[in-house]
Amino acid sequence: MHKTAVLFVCLGNICRSPAAEGTFRHLVKEAGLEHAFHIDSCGTSAYHIGEPANARSRRTAARHGITLTSRARQLQLDDFQTFDHILAMDRSNLQDVLRMAPAESRATIALFRTFDPEANPEKVPDVPDPYYGGDDGFEEVQQIMLRTSQSFLRHIRGVVHE
Ligand code: 4NP
């Protein structure tokens, strides 16, 4: 059976995409659909390779009952063969992903917040980078992850073989 493979991408793979990965993984588990998904995250940069998610990201996710387990890695060419959906956290990440995408890529590449039910579809917002700001920014990002991952899961459930 083909698993639906989803890759979340940000710059460092220590704040936003680990939160997206962990939150989506949590929701998939709650829905009893773990067997149907392959879920991962990565960064466009090599800045933080091997690092766990940022401590503030982990603490914020933990308050919502979500454990972030990622180790940072960089986007690589074979991701475009492995993943069905590549979701970028912001426009800069999206540009970098598109620039690297080989012609034979089989992934659907989009901005993550295309699926944010509170976002204006005419003007899809970026996930703000909380790295240099205060703790409020991490909670705001977590809220974005929760509602957007929920809505993305609802969106793809129709095509997932349960
Ligand atoms: P992320 O946040 O892309 O959400 O993981 C960042 C983490 C580190 C840096 C930038 C963004 N950095 O420049 O080191």
Side-chain angles (χ1 to χ4, degrees), residues 10-18 47-48 129-132:
C10 65
L11 176 62
N13 194 207
I14 54 168
C15 295
R16 292 166 296 172
S17 59
Y47 302 150
H48 296 278
D129 189 343
Y131 189 63
Y132 298 103

Side-chain angles (χ1 to χ4, degrees), residues 67-101:
T67 308
L68 306 186
T69 56
S70 66
R71 286 276 166 182
R73 71 167 180 92
Q74 192 170 19
L75 178 66
Q76 58 193 40
L77 262 183
D78 70 8
D79 289 327
F80 294 93
Q81 302 310 318
T82 304
F83 290 91
D84 303 296
H85 300 273
I86 299 181
L87 297 175
M89 295 298 121
D90 68 29
R91 281 173 172 69
S92 163
N93 309 147
L94 179 65
Q95 244 178 21
D96 289 341
V97 171
L98 290 171
R99 197 175 303 130
M100 189 167 161

